[in-house]
Amino acid sequence: MGRVGDERRLRVVVVGAGFGGLQLARALAGAPLEVLLVDRQNYHLFTPLLYQVASSLLNPSDIAFPVRAMFRDAPNVRYRQAEVTAVDLERRRLELGGGERLEYDYLVLATGSTTNYFGNASIEARALGLKNLPEALELRNHSLACLEAASHEPDAAERARLMTTVIVGGGPTGVEYAGALSELMALVLDGEYPIPRALGRIVLVEAQERLLAAFRPELGRYTEERLAAMGVEVKLGVRVTEAHDDHVLLSDGTRVESRTLVWSAGVRAADVEEPLPVPHARGGRLEVDAYLRVGGFAHAFAIGDLAGARDDGKELPMLSAPAMQQGRFVARYLRDVAAGRDPERRGPYRYQDKGIMAVIGRNAAVAELGGMTFTGFVGWAVWLLVHIYFLIGFRNRLAVLWTWWWNYVRRDRPVRIISSSPPPRLLEQERLRALVVSDTGPRSLRSATPPREP
Ligand SMILES: Cc1cc2nc3c(=O)[nH]c(=O)nc-3n(C[C@H](O)[C@H](O)[C@H](O)COP(=O)(O)OP(=O)(O)OC[C@H]3O[C@@H](n4cnc5c(N)ncnc54)[C@H](O)[C@@H]3O)c2cc1C
């Protein structure tokens, strides 16, 4: 294996081009290291705005950026589209889907997290997720197809079912999607569809006694009030226990007639297919030492959602900020290794908490920044600026700003397109499936009710 002074440069393999892996690779651009960035998708996804794709405001290309384009001017960083299926930490090599093996000198695992259904098979089979681009598109297609079907559905009970969305999880994703969906409904039901506004029902279910549990209690209460004013039914201290094709059962015994269940209630770390034989922390995260190294191996790191990193004994949240900071930390470590300096000279990783925020809707957001809290229009303006700042790519920033301005002035949600993503799950009716152009999308259907042959 290469050392400093060898002719061959050290080879760093980074798995995952999300927030952590991308920051790391960018910080290693121009370093005397060979960097290979492996990701199964060829784009970096800006997840904080994913709900705006699902709610017909933004286009997928506004929040996704091709990885190769980012490293056009960095000859020492290469990209490879592949799924990593196994890692051999002893032999320092990893396996790709298809069986090919890659050797490394240093490995950084940044595979993020995946949806956690907490073992509830009925929910896993029927719920729509909001974790990646195909899921956001599937949700957009599904809700638009429900509207189309409801517009000519003769049966009143079925029309109500089609018009009811149950969202599980009162964290930022659930809150943001609930607010955005309510704005979409207000727009299209007042003019485009012959459906009374009151029929568009959005039920937000949260197991804890408050929304936005990671925020200060008063911000959770503010969010609840704002959502209620927007027509969202907030149910606190309640869990979804069972999901069926046409209804959802709640832990308080309520039965909600609905054809749309959106799950944003939990995530767990995304290990590779063959889980690493190292200690795991809560939520399947890999235990790491103070320098983010995994399982006592000096040449392997884990960062971001995958890493169970701690600061002052407190486990860090699954957010983009720790992932990006950890990416930069490991990049400095590796630059030191390449330069023959002691990589531990700067001391262990420390998290700098810059704050948290969530948007509820037009002129309404909550933010905790530097010990201060913001709500209403100010919170909303802060949220806007921060998200534009962190969005990657000038074109994307411009496109998102333009769309936001257009939406603000015209109250328009321009991407009301039922595209060729997978047909809507949950919808076993022929007429609903017929509304979707084709089913050539990348995700497989997991519905308990498989589509019938035409
Ligand atoms: C809808 C949504 C909204 C969010 N909103 C916010 C927000 O407002 N603010 C905030 O701070 N955080 C937010 N988050 C959380 C944030 O997205 C994560 O904390 C962050 O993405 C973690 O970064 P990461 O680098 O660990 O993983 P990710 O960014 O998830 O990247 C992981 C990458 O690894 C790739 N990958 C995974 N497994 C493999 C494999 N086996 N082989 C090859 N490639 C693989 C994936 O394709 C992906 O590109 C949100 C998340 C979601 C889903």
Side-chain angles (χ1 to χ4, degrees):
M1 284 294 151
R3 289 187 310 272
V4 177
D6 285 0
E7 276 177 29
R8 187 175 71 80
R9 285 175 164 192
L10 291 170
R11 185 181 213 213
V12 180
V13 176
V14 182
V15 187
F19 282 94
L22 194 72
Q23 279 291 320
L24 174 91
R26 285 176 132 188
L28 289 181
L33 293 157
E34 288 305 321
V35 181
L36 179 66
L37 184 53
V38 182
D39 198 305
R40 58 183 167 214
Q41 59 197 29
N42 76 334
Y43 55 85
H44 167 79
L45 182 67
F46 191 74
T47 49
L49 297 181
L50 199 56
Y51 78 94
Q52 297 200 355
V53 171
S55 57
S56 301
L57 182 58
L58 294 178
N59 272 304
S61 59
D62 297 339
I63 63 161
F65 202 86
V67 177
R68 281 184 189 275
M70 278 180 258
F71 297 101
R72 196 191 287 250
D73 300 323
N76 71 315
V77 181
R78 287 181 301 121
Y79 165 73
R80 168 85 187 259
Q81 184 178 22
E83 167 102 22
V84 173
T85 52
V87 178
D88 186 338
L89 292 165
E90 300 279 355
R91 294 196 175 87
R92 287 200 226 168
R93 66 183 183 207
L94 41 84
E95 202 167 302
L96 306 181
E100 190 187 337
R101 288 188 177 146
L102 289 182
E103 312 252 318
Y104 63 80
D105 297 311
Y106 283 87
L107 172 71
V108 187
L109 293 166
T111 49
S113 54
T114 184
T115 306
N116 190 357
Y117 296 97
F118 303 104
N120 189 318
S122 75
I123 295 176
E124 182 166 357
R126 292 174 181 84
L128 293 147
L130 193 43
K131 188 79 183 87
N132 51 44
L133 209 44
E135 284 184 351
L137 290 171
E138 187 180 9
L139 180 52
R140 183 188 78 191
N141 289 332
H142 175 93
S143 14
L144 294 175
C146 280
L147 276 169
E148 290 302 334
S151 70
H152 56 85
E153 171 59 54
D155 178 57
E158 177 59 14
R159 198 162 61 242
R161 251 178 240 125
L162 288 164
M163 291 301 299
T164 301
T165 301
V166 179
I167 302 167
V168 195
T173 301
V175 162
E176 290 175 345
Y177 181 65
L181 185 64
S182 138
E183 287 181 348
L184 173 67
M185 289 294 168
L187 166 75
V188 297
L189 295 186
D190 288 343
E192 291 182 18
Y193 290 87
I195 304 170
R197 171 81 182 91
L199 214 57
R201 205 177 153 206
I202 301 166
V203 185
L204 178 60
V205 180
E206 165 56 46
Q208 299 197 45
E209 292 295 341
R210 49 176 287 209
L211 293 178
L212 300 179
F215 292 64
R216 292 188 191 171
E218 64 269 25
L219 297 186
R221 281 194 296 275
Y222 170 84
T223 305
E224 196 184 331
E225 282 161 21
R226 287 303 294 242
L227 283 178
M230 292 163 78
V232 176
E233 297 170 41
V234 179
K235 287 184 181 290
L236 299 177
V238 178
R239 285 177 299 108
V240 170
T241 52
E242 272 176 48
H244 297 265
D245 282 345
D246 58 359
H247 71 275
V248 168
L249 294 182
L250 307 184
S251 57
D252 62 0
T254 314
R255 173 184 162 122
V256 184
E257 297 290 326
S258 168
R259 292 223 175 259
T260 310
L261 175 65
V262 183
W263 183 259
S264 71
V267 288
R268 60 183 165 77
D271 221 331
V272 293
E273 193 178 300
E274 193 177 300
L276 268 74
V278 295
H280 284 62
R282 216 163 56 96
R285 298 175 99 179
L286 302 188
E287 275 185 16
V288 290
D289 69 11
Y291 292 86
L292 307 176
R293 293 168 298 214
V294 176
F297 289 89
H299 297 84
F301 299 82
I303 59 173
D305 285 2
L306 177 68
R310 294 175 168 273
D311 194 7
D312 270 345
K314 251 180 69 185
E315 190 184 300
L316 298 181
M318 288 188 179
L319 289 174
S320 55
M324 291 192 289
Q325 289 178 21
Q326 290 165 16
R328 290 194 290 270
F329 175 85
V330 175
R332 282 195 296 270
Y333 186 106
L334 294 173
R335 275 182 175 269
D336 281 343
V337 170
R341 295 187 291 260
D342 172 16
E344 295 188 10
R345 69 200 170 96
R346 290 178 229 262
Y349 167 71
R350 299 300 311 264
Y351 176 49
Q352 287 183 340
D353 188 354
K354 302 256 172 70
I356 43 177
M357 54 184 71
V359 70
I360 304 158
R362 167 181 288 260
N363 299 338
V366 289
E368 278 180 44
L369 297 173
M372 290 189 291
T373 60
F374 303 94
T375 56
F377 179 79
V378 179
W380 181 76
V382 171
W383 182 92
L384 233 77
L385 289 175
V386 169
H387 283 74
I388 281 294
Y389 177 78
F390 281 107
L391 196 63
I392 288 177
F394 181 69
R395 191 206 71 84
N396 294 37
R397 284 189 189 130
L398 213 61
V400 169
L401 261 180
W402 158 252
T403 311
W404 283 352
W405 178 83
W406 181 260
N407 175 47
Y408 195 77
V409 177
R410 303 290 303 261
R411 292 183 184 263
D412 189 14
R413 297 206 154 235
V415 202
R416 298 199 294 284
I417 310 291
I418 300 177
S419 71
S420 60
S421 285
R425 279 192 276 146
L426 312 175
L427 307 177
E428 77 281 17
Q429 302 152 299
E430 287 302 333
R431 62 180 176 281
L432 270 173
R433 285 213 310 283
L435 292 169
V436 177
V437 183
S438 78
D439 62 351
T440 53
R443 278 189 79 217
S444 61
L445 283 182
R446 286 177 292 141
S447 172
T449 315
R452 275 170 273 141
E453 292 298 322

